[in-house]
């Protein structure tokens, strides 16, 4: 459920006509609904109400400071994957003692920053990384809290680029190798073994892969216990999907029900559950608004050229994702089959392909729905296009939470060496 609705033929975000935001900030822009963000967070949190748990929002899905603060205010922790993400959490006022740090390539500098911030846990993805963290902690005279991220080898049945829990993916440590790595971790003086972590993929639309992974984790924890290794944090990752089109992913409550018995058992053994949802919280809480510039084409093929492009939203080009396109203003209800394309000089620059969309005319606004996750965060300056603003609506209020970049922003940090100046 979200708060982007049509009223009298016009698209609203909560109590604000989307058109009014376009008048204020120009196009294109990302628009988020405060009520939807809050609701999605709460629904997820309440789904796990009977279980001792902590939500570590996977901020890679949306890293705007205002949105991080909103979740921090609701009690969230964060799942980070870089020093930059840690910096954002701290700048947003997030609590570092609720931060877990995932990713296969943490650098020495990033490890140091996370140690200094006293994060909750490092999710370690290789034997060599264990040694690297031990060494950084030794230099600082501290003990680093670690979990091993295991790869349970289950098929999440999602797009191959976002499947992470298969044996052939670069993520995690194979389950069979985990016990050996736990023994290693235990033997390293500057590490404290606190947890076990697992994340199998993203946009997962059934409970099966989650319950399969859970069984493997349970067996592993049993083997660890037999070896005298106990954990107090079990991080089950994120990955729950959302309906973009006709997918019917389980609601958070359904997913929680499928896992509840196992999770309670973990709680009984003194183990707290960590969750790393990203998309399910923010995906349907944001849209990308764009203006139609030109129509072109032949009888065989029509194009709607809009002012947003693959640099603003790369998901259609990169994953072939399908995201609904809606009219923002009143239309005559006519529809047209067309490609919705941007101004970038690549044929992969499309937001929709061979899609029946509103028969918009130049100047009309269109909304690309379900763009709150992996939208703005994956945008770039390709073709020297300034990144677009992000706007948060709350009731009748409009808050610009990131301004549009200027041309000056585009060249910030670049220099022409002297030798090139004297021709
Ligand atoms: N935890 C870890 C360790 C992850 O790698 C991810 C996502 C998450 C949590 C959050 O997953 P979510 O709940 O959002 O599914 N750019 C792609 C998605 C990449 C997901 C990467 N990892 C897309 O636009 O579909």
């Amino acid at each position: 459920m979200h708060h982007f609705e049509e009223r009298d033929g016009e698209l609203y975000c909560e109590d604000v006509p989307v058109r009014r935001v376009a008048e204020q900030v120009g196009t294109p822009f990302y628009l988020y609904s405060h009520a939807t963000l809050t609701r999605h967070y709460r629904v997820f949190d309440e789904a796990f109400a009977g279980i001792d748990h902590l939500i570590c929002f996977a901020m890679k899905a949306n890293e705007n400071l205002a949105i991080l603060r909103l979740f921090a205010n609701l009690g969230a922790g964060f799942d980070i994957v870089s020093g930059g993400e840690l910096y954002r959490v701290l700048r947003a006022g997030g609590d570092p003692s609720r931060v877990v740090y995932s990713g296969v390539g943490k650098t020495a500098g990033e490890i140091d920053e996370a140690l200094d911030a006293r994060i909750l846990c490092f999710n370690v993805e290789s034997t060599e990384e264990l040694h690297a963290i031990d060494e950084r902690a030794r230099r600082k005279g501290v003990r680093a809290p670690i979990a091993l991220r295991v790869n349970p080898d289950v098929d999440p049945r999602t797009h191959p680029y976002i499947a992470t829990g298969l044996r052939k993916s670069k993520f995690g440590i194979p389950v069979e190798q985990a016990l050996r790595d736990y023994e290693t971790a235990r033997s390293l003086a500057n590490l404290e073994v606190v947890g076990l972590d697992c994340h199998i993929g993203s946009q997962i639309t059934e409970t099966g892969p989650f319950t399969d992974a859970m069984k493997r984790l349970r067996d592993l924890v049993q083997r660890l216990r037999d070896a005298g290794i106990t954990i107090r944090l079990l991080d089950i990752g994120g990955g729950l999907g959302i309906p973009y089109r006709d997918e019917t992913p389980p609601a958070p409550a359904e997913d929680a029900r499928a896992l509840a018995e196992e999770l309670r058992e973990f709680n009984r053994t003194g183990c707290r559950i960590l969750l790393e949802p990203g998309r399910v919280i923010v995906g349907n809480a944001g849209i990308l608004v764009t203006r139609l510039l030109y129509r072109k084409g032949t009888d065989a093929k029509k194009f709607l050229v809009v002012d947003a492009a693959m640099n603003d939203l790369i998901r259609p080009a990169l994953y072939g994702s399908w995201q609904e396109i809606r009219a923002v203003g009143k239309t005559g209800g006519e529809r047209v089959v067309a490609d919705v394309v941007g101004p970038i000089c690549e044929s992969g620059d499309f937001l929709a392909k061979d899609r029946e969309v509103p028969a918009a005319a130049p100047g009309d606004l269109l909304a690309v729905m379900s763009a709150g996750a992996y939208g703005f965060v994956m945008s770039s300056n390709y073709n020297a296009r300034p990144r677009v603003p992000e706007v948060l609506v709350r009731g009748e209020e409009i808050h610009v939470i990131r301004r549009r970049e200027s041309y000056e922003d585009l060249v910030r940090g670049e220099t022409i060496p002297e030798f090139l100046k004297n021709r």
Side-chain angles (χ1 to χ4, degrees):
M1 206 207 105
H2 59 71
H3 294 77
F4 297 96
E5 295 166 344
E6 234 174 70
R7 290 189 201 163
D8 304 325
E10 254 206 278
L11 186 65
Y12 274 66
C13 175
E14 303 191 20
D15 295 324
V16 174
V18 172
R19 171 185 42 81
R20 191 183 301 155
V21 184
E23 285 159 9
Q24 189 177 318
V25 302
T27 56
F29 61 93
Y30 277 91
L31 181 60
Y32 309 112
S33 152
H34 178 269
T36 311
L37 291 164
T38 308
R39 184 188 143 81
H40 285 181
Y41 182 88
R42 290 216 169 109
V43 164
F44 195 91
D45 200 24
E46 280 158 20
F48 291 87
I51 289 152
D52 176 23
H53 72 281
L54 172 66
I55 296 180
C56 295
F57 172 63
M59 61 177 287
K60 61 175 76 66
N62 193 311
E63 63 183 23
N64 184 285
L65 292 183
I67 288 174
L68 299 184
R69 179 55 168 261
L70 189 164
F71 293 142
N73 289 350
L74 292 169
F78 298 94
D79 166 47
I80 63 166
V81 292
S82 71
E85 287 197 344
L86 176 59
Y87 178 77
R88 281 185 171 274
V89 168
L90 299 176
R91 281 295 293 265
D95 178 355
S97 73
R98 292 173 169 238
V99 166
V100 294
Y101 187 179
S102 310
V104 296
K106 305 172 186 82
T107 65
E110 289 176 315
I111 294 167
D112 285 352
E113 287 157 19
L115 288 171
D116 289 343
R118 305 206 168 281
I119 64 165
L120 176 61
C121 190
F122 289 85
N123 291 335
V124 178
E125 307 222 14
S126 64
T127 321
E128 293 194 355
E129 188 192 328
L130 274 180
H131 289 284
I133 297 176
D134 179 61
E135 170 58 15
R136 301 318 298 180
R138 186 188 64 76
R139 288 180 187 224
K140 288 186 179 293
V142 296
R143 284 186 91 198
I146 65 111
L148 288 192
R149 173 171 177 182
V150 299
N151 184 329
D153 193 27
V154 301
D155 185 355
R157 294 189 279 275
T158 183
H159 190 283
Y161 289 6
I162 55 178
T164 52
L166 284 168
R167 185 183 296 278
K168 61 180 193 288
S169 95
K170 70 174 176 180
F171 296 99
I173 291 169
V175 174
E176 318 82 65
Q177 187 191 314
L179 184 55
R180 202 171 67 222
D181 281 337
Y182 270 104
E183 300 278 14
T184 304
R186 183 164 58 170
S187 72
L188 294 171
N190 308 288
L191 300 184
E192 187 193 357
V193 175
V194 296
L196 170 63
D197 169 48
C198 172
H199 169 80
I200 55 174
S202 193
Q203 186 53 18
I204 298 169
T205 53
E206 39 193 327
T207 52
F210 292 113
T211 49
D212 287 352
M214 184 60 73
K215 286 192 201 105
R216 310 231 164 134
L217 296 182
R218 187 192 53 199
D219 294 346
L220 176 58
V221 168
Q222 189 52 53
R223 270 181 286 139
L224 292 180
R225 223 176 271 141
D226 295 344
I229 297 168
T230 51
I231 56 161
R232 54 184 162 83
L233 299 175
L234 176 73
D235 183 339
I236 61 170
L240 192 56
I242 62 169
Y244 282 100
R245 188 180 191 177
D246 46 17
E247 303 91 334
T248 51
E254 194 183 333
D255 195 44
R257 259 198 307 280
L259 300 172
E261 206 177 311
E262 303 271 9
L263 296 182
R264 276 203 207 94
E265 188 50 38
F266 276 109
N267 276 172
R268 269 195 287 275
T269 60
C271 193
R272 184 166 211 212
I273 307 302
L274 306 183
L275 302 138
E276 301 173 354
R279 187 188 319 258
V280 69
I281 311 275
V282 291
N284 283 326
I287 64 175
L288 172 65
V289 181
T290 182
R291 195 179 290 279
L292 193 140
L293 298 171
Y294 309 110
R295 293 170 291 190
K296 62 181 285 186
T298 60
D299 284 349
K301 183 88 185 169
K302 291 192 169 45
F303 295 96
L304 301 183
V305 184
V306 298
D307 63 2
M310 68 188 284
N311 74 297
D312 303 306
L313 179 67
I314 204 174
R315 302 194 70 260
L318 190 56
Y319 314 112
S321 71
W322 191 104
Q323 298 185 220
E324 186 189 354
I325 301 215
R326 282 206 207 169
V328 168
K330 290 193 172 75
T331 62
E334 284 156 54
R335 318 255 315 157
V336 59
V337 175
D339 285 8
V340 179
V341 302
I344 282 190
C345 301
E346 291 205 30
S347 295
D349 178 25
F350 58 85
L351 298 174
K353 246 194 174 352
D354 295 320
R355 181 85 68 79
E356 192 187 297
V357 291
D364 287 351
L365 297 171
L366 292 170
V368 184
M369 308 303 289
S370 312
Y374 308 108
F376 183 87
V377 285
M378 295 183 80
S379 68
S380 76
N381 291 119
Y382 188 38
N383 279 201
R385 291 167 54 85
R387 279 180 298 168
V388 306
E390 294 178 281
V391 181
L392 178 67
V393 157
R394 174 170 168 261
E396 293 183 346
E397 302 161 14
I398 299 173
H399 301 271
V400 178
I401 56 174
R402 190 185 215 275
R403 63 163 173 79
R404 188 181 303 283
E405 286 180 345
S406 65
Y407 288 153
E408 190 55 39
D409 290 329
L410 290 182
V411 296
R412 177 158 302 132
E414 295 182 32
T415 34
I416 301 175
E418 277 311 312
F419 79 91
L420 288 173
K421 292 185 184 160
N422 327 311
R423 280 190 281 176

